[in-house]
């Protein structure tokens, strides 16, 4: 993902550490829109460790919303995944 205002890449959690191994693809809404508002959600265990990370997209063109990606976290500690989360 990249910011439409400045063009800088935007990484979720520790994904910048793995970007070199990634095979990113394009993302498009069924309406053809390719610009999205992005939200990241963290589901946590009772002890505060991160359990799941989900990325939601909101199409700027037609307003469609959906989960773009989610993944389970199978290790701990996970505090570093929340660095930069607001």
């Amino acid at each position: 993902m990249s910011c439409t205002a400045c063009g800088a890449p935007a990484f979720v959690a520790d994904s910048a550490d793995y970007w070199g191994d990634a095979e990113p693809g394009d993302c498009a809404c069924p309406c053809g829109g390719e610009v999205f508002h992005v939200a990241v959600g963290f589901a946590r265990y009772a002890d505060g460790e991160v359990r799941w990370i989900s990325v939601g997209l909101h199409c700027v063109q037609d307003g469609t919303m959906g989960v773009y990606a989610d993944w389970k976290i199978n290790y701990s500690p996970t505090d570093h995944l929340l660095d930069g989360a607001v």
Side-chain angles (χ1 to χ4, degrees):
M1 290 183 278
S2 61
C3 176
T4 57
C6 70
F11 295 102
V12 175
D14 61 354
S15 61
D17 297 341
Y18 303 97
W19 190 248
D21 297 328
E23 296 178 14
D26 293 332
C27 178
C29 179
C31 78
E34 295 181 343
V35 177
F36 302 92
H37 296 128
V38 180
V40 178
F42 298 89
R44 299 171 90 175
Y45 289 103
D47 65 2
E49 294 293 333
V50 176
R51 182 173 138 174
W52 282 88
I53 298 176
S54 298
V55 177
L57 299 180
H58 173 255
C59 177
V60 172
Q61 186 169 316
D62 75 352
T64 297
M65 294 189 292
V67 174
Y68 179 68
D70 62 353
W71 59 97
K72 185 174 173 109
I73 306 301
N74 292 319
Y75 61 85
S76 65
T78 60
D79 290 340
H80 69 285
L81 297 174
L82 299 171
D83 291 346
V86 180

